[in-house]
Amino acid sequence: MTRRGFLGIRLNHPAQLVVLAYGTAIFTGTALLMLPVAVRGPGGGGAFLPAFFTSTSAICVTGLITVDTPEYWSGFGHAVILGLIQLGGFGIMTLASVAAVFVSHRLGLRSRMLAQAETGAIDLGDVRRILAGVALFTVVFELATTIVLTGAFWINHDEPFLGALRLGVFHAISAFNNAGFALFSDSLMGFVADPWVSVTVSLAVISGGIGFPVWLDLRRNPRRSRRWSLHTKMTLSITAALLVIAFLTVVLFEWDNPGTLGPLDVPGKLVAGFFQATMPRTAGFNSIDIAEMNEPTHLVTILLMFIGGGSASTAGGVKVTTVAVIALMVWAELRGDPDVSRFGRRIPPAAQRQALSVVLIGLAALFAGNLLLLVFSPFGLTETLFEAASAFGTVGLSLGITPALDGAAQMVLIVLMFLGRVGPITIGTALVLREHERLYRYPEERPIVG
């Protein structure tokens, strides 16, 4: 059954709307960034590939760049990038929520009631409330972040008020939407030991990366953790665990590294360690030189970038709950438990299959993208894998090789950014909507496993 969809195009699946909407936004942003007014200096407009790459990175809230953002793009270009970031961040939460509505609509009445009670799923009549809630959620966090950052740039760093306000607005939106774009050529390395900038940006990144469903659940039950949904409990617990792992990784492996934390005093190291711990799963800001980090830190960072943040959030990756379900499946198998459960709730087999599918498809995309980068670039495995994971996870951290890649390699990163942004939603929704019961079952036969 088809429905009249976006721009009059007939859509057979709601996931097609997600792909089409993001693709349209990317090409619109590319056209705007190619205008002469979008670049600094006289002459023609921006070249196609830098504009296309930047537009994709902005709408996919990634943060990877091929040109210096503050130097290459004009004020108009910065405004376009900021608009794309806001659209990408707001749209990803909105479209994810609407996709959840489509899923709930296709389920039976009993399943819909269970899904609504367990995950806070919202029915079709509440689409307006979804949009209003996401908008309010976005404005509150971005406004609070803007106020603190503006004051920090104005008071602590002697920026004129209007300049501080411009920096505050841009970095607040970029941080909350987990985009990682900065108006400084060295990202936020100039504020490595400044807690007002570093901690504020970190908290905004964490807030955006948790996800709208979690915040909605916390708003409904702020002091009753027992009434939180399984999704909320898993997201918060796994996010906290990964933040601790990331913080310990940075502090332990980089404490004496002269290229990263080594020159800082103890408070500065702790601030920088916390800041960098929040970035690998979500945003591409950096306050230390990523290329100078030790190999163990690079490896853990790659893993965290692949995992990503919370579902229906501004973060990318395969999402923390997806990986948590996989881990719980392994734990149940090791214990010989027939059910996969957590926090007193059993996880259905369909959700287990979906989680496994999303992770395996993500690994396949990461492998293929890294292989192509090795073919099209002169860089080694660590460099290409880091950039590929950053692109697929829509993180934006870089070892500095992206600007040096040729056109073919940059196109690989563009595809990875797009897949990383629309893939988890598209795949997850498609798997649920295709779920159906057969009227027959094949005879059972067990293959040798392991």
Side-chain angles (χ1 to χ4, degrees), residues 153-440:
F153 290 131
W154 182 33
I155 298 172
N156 297 341
H157 299 282
D158 299 324
E159 287 283 345
F161 177 75
L162 291 180
L165 180 61
R166 180 177 69 92
L167 293 173
V169 170
F170 188 96
H171 291 93
I173 294 176
S174 183
F176 174 75
N177 289 286
N178 285 212
F181 278 88
L183 293 182
F184 303 97
S185 298
D186 60 354
S187 190
L188 296 180
M189 292 178 62
F191 309 94
V192 60
D194 184 347
W196 288 102
V197 174
S198 295
V199 175
T200 300
V201 170
S202 296
L203 294 178
V205 167
I206 294 172
S207 300
I210 288 178
F212 174 69
V214 173
W215 285 114
L216 181 60
D217 199 10
L218 295 178
R219 182 183 177 185
R220 289 173 174 170
N221 305 289
R223 298 181 181 180
R224 299 179 181 179
S225 59
R226 292 184 178 180
R227 300 185 64 179
W228 292 350
S229 68
L230 177 63
H231 172 78
T232 296
K233 293 177 181 178
M234 291 178 65
T235 299
L236 292 179
S237 59
I238 301 301
T239 296
L242 293 177
L243 284 173
V244 172
I245 292 173
F247 176 75
L248 293 177
T249 298
V250 175
V251 170
L252 293 177
F253 291 120
E254 305 299 325
W255 189 268
D256 295 322
N257 186 345
T260 54
L261 300 184
L264 303 174
D265 57 15
V266 173
K269 290 180 180 180
L270 296 178
V271 170
F274 174 71
F275 179 87
Q276 212 55 58
T278 63
M279 299 303 148
R281 296 183 306 105
T282 51
F285 294 109
N286 62 283
S287 62
I288 58 178
D289 191 345
I290 302 299
E292 293 296 326
M293 293 194 309
N294 292 313
E295 288 290 300
T297 313
H298 285 158
L299 181 60
V300 175
T301 301
I302 290 171
L303 176 61
L304 293 173
M305 290 192 294
F306 179 78
I307 294 174
S311 299
S313 75
T314 58
V318 296
K319 304 299 187 297
V320 293
T321 47
T322 304
V323 176
V325 170
I326 300 295
L328 291 173
M329 291 170 58
V330 175
W331 181 243
E333 187 64 29
L334 292 176
R335 295 180 57 188
D337 195 332
D339 295 322
V340 177
S341 59
R342 183 61 174 163
F343 297 114
R345 294 292 185 270
R346 188 175 68 252
I347 300 174
Q352 299 173 39
R353 295 195 304 270
Q354 292 153 19
L356 185 60
S357 299
V358 169
V359 169
L360 290 179
I361 293 172
L363 287 173
L366 182 60
F367 175 84
N370 183 64
L371 179 62
L372 291 175
L373 288 180
L374 287 172
V375 172
F376 293 131
S377 75
F379 298 103
L381 179 61
T382 299
E383 291 84 359
T384 57
L385 182 58
F386 194 97
E387 304 294 304
S390 181
F392 178 77
T394 67
V395 177
L397 293 176
S398 174
L399 296 183
I401 71 170
T402 296
L405 297 175
D406 61 15
Q410 289 182 11
M411 288 299 298
V412 172
L413 292 181
I414 288 174
V415 173
L416 284 175
M417 287 189 288
F418 190 77
L419 289 176
R421 175 47 70 190
V422 305
I425 295 177
T426 305
I427 295 170
T429 305
L431 287 171
V432 174
L433 288 174
R434 290 178 59 86
E435 185 177 341
H436 61 278
E437 293 187 7
R438 291 182 180 271
L439 299 178
Y440 61 91

